[in-house]
Amino acid sequence: MKYYIIAGEASGDLHGSNLMKALFKQDEQAEIRFWGGDLMQNVGGELVMHYKERQFMGFAEVILNLRKVLGHIKFCKSDIEKFQPDVLIFIDNSGFNLRIAKWAKALNYKTHYYISPQVWASRASRVEKIKHDVDAMYCILPFEKEFYKTYNYDVNFVGHPLIDAIADRPQVEETVFRKEHKLSDQPIIALLPGSRKQEITKMLGVMLSLVDDFKDYQFVIAGAPSQDYEFYQGFIKKKNIKFISNRTYDLLSISTAALVTSGTATLETALFKVPQVVCYKANAISYQIAKRIITLKYISLVNLIMDREVVTELIQGDLNKKRLKKELTSILHPERREQLFLDYYELEKLLGGRGASENTAKLIFNAIRNSK
């Protein structure tokens, strides 16, 4: 059968690649055309557009680049019509994907959505549109199934794909990894400042302001695959700051603590059992808009899933050197670390077992085959 997959950002590329592997197991003759990144491209199929070409962070940035965004939507519709897929599979990326889903449903394309839009965070009124435009929803967060049930929308909880992504990765030998990247024997504080230039610029300077206060540690920046080393160079001004590109999981596996930009990375860090401080600072206009429409108590996935404050969140004005130093000191203390480890194990249980990609691929394949 023919599958058209639309993913955005590095996390969508990761989950999309694992879903594609599972689809090829279900359907060896599958034709897959997709919007994604390098990981999806390595699996097979045909890349339409790389996510690097359409990364905009926050409301203000989208508005400033509206003409380009609308051009991408128009091109996507045209490309779908030429390909004539048996099913459209949307992965997260709601701003773009829900627009395509509405158009596609009107033309009777089969519409399946993997990794639900965060309608539970803001603008819950979108659920009615999703019910109308999306034939099947595959959720990866345990509380989402109950959320949708209140709107009489039956969705599938398939487990979280990060469980598989982390379990299946090649194991790294710490001594070899340190030698390969010229790391000393000092314990590591990993810095995960995000994947987009706007957020990296806002986060990394504050994170690196602590370097002189923690001289017994080495700070290692986890470079995003979407950014070149040259972009990070301006931030690296001291000897105990290192940079490693596109090896975030390997870095987390040997890290003592981490400073993490809010997003999927907070959950990844927790699954590696690394104590963390969650950081978030946006464009002032985007933040004020978001503050008025987002109804959540927390911004990190760790706290949202646990429904309590497990990891400290430093948001906007609270993300400053003084607060960050205090919180980093806290997670280096044995008693605080022990509690975090216990909470992380509880979190992993809530996410379910392995097999999210396989579960989703089977459900999609059987639904489309049975509808023919």
Side-chain angles (χ1 to χ4, degrees), residues 132-369:
H132 180 269
D133 298 333
V134 175
D135 295 320
M137 176 69 73
Y138 308 99
C139 295
I140 65 172
L141 298 174
F143 59 79
E144 290 177 320
K145 189 171 178 66
E146 288 302 313
F147 167 81
Y148 278 116
K149 189 182 285 187
T150 62
Y151 291 87
N152 297 313
Y153 187 36
D154 189 24
V155 302
N156 305 281
F157 173 59
V158 293
H160 204 292
L162 282 180
I163 301 288
D164 289 335
I166 290 171
D168 293 341
R169 71 182 184 88
Q171 295 300 303
V172 61
E173 169 55 50
E174 181 171 352
T175 305
V176 174
F177 185 78
R178 283 179 181 267
K179 186 175 180 181
E180 179 186 350
H181 295 284
K182 297 180 174 59
L183 302 177
S184 72
D185 293 332
Q186 288 180 304
I188 292 169
I189 296 174
L191 307 181
L192 281 64
S195 60
R196 291 173 284 199
K197 284 186 176 178
Q198 298 102 316
E199 62 186 351
I200 294 169
T201 300
K202 289 183 180 299
M203 306 296 172
L204 198 48
V206 184
M207 292 175 175
L208 289 172
S209 69
L210 303 185
V211 169
D212 289 338
D213 295 304
F214 294 87
K215 291 184 178 178
D216 292 334
Y217 297 83
Q218 57 190 321
F219 288 68
V220 184
I221 301 167
S226 55
Q227 305 299 338
D228 297 325
Y229 172 65
E230 288 70 28
F231 172 67
Y232 294 92
Q233 261 184 315
F235 296 96
I236 304 171
K237 297 174 181 175
K238 298 187 178 178
K239 284 185 179 180
N240 61 332
I241 301 172
K242 300 293 183 180
F243 173 85
I244 299 176
S245 182
N246 204 19
R247 298 285 296 274
T248 302
Y249 283 7
D250 292 338
L251 175 61
L252 284 173
S253 73
I254 64 169
S255 293
T256 298
L259 307 179
V260 187
T261 296
S262 178
T264 304
T266 62
L267 191 54
E268 291 171 316
T269 303
L271 291 172
F272 274 98
K273 311 299 185 292
V274 180
Q276 63 181 299
V277 181
V278 177
C279 307
Y280 180 79
K281 184 174 284 189
N283 170 290
I285 297 172
S286 295
Y287 176 71
Q288 288 303 323
I289 295 171
K291 194 176 176 182
R292 285 161 174 74
I293 64 172
I294 293 175
T295 57
L296 300 173
K297 288 188 289 184
Y298 309 109
I299 62 167
S300 70
L301 285 171
V302 175
N303 291 344
L304 286 167
I305 294 166
M306 295 289 281
D307 195 27
R308 59 188 174 87
E309 188 179 277
V310 170
V311 294
T312 300
E313 301 175 350
L314 298 181
I315 305 171
Q316 212 68 1
D318 287 336
L319 181 58
N320 56 64
K321 180 179 177 180
K322 184 179 179 181
R323 283 295 310 278
L324 194 57
K325 179 182 176 181
K326 177 186 174 186
E327 298 304 335
L328 178 54
T329 301
S330 173
I331 62 171
L332 293 172
H333 192 276
E335 194 172 302
R336 172 78 168 122
R337 294 173 68 79
E338 185 178 343
Q339 184 57 55
L340 278 169
F341 294 145
L342 293 172
D343 288 335
Y344 283 166
Y345 282 114
E346 185 181 338
L347 170 75
E348 192 166 354
K349 286 181 184 177
L350 288 173
L351 290 174
R354 298 190 56 178
S357 301
E358 286 76 10
N359 294 339
T360 305
K362 284 178 187 175
L363 288 167
I364 294 172
F365 176 73
N366 290 329
I368 303 306
R369 182 181 59 181

Side-chain angles (χ1 to χ4, degrees), residues 105-119:
K105 184 63 178 176
L107 294 177
N108 293 316
Y109 288 105
K110 299 296 182 185
T111 54
H112 288 232
Y113 214 120
Y114 179 42
I115 306 180
S116 169
Q118 295 180 352
V119 286

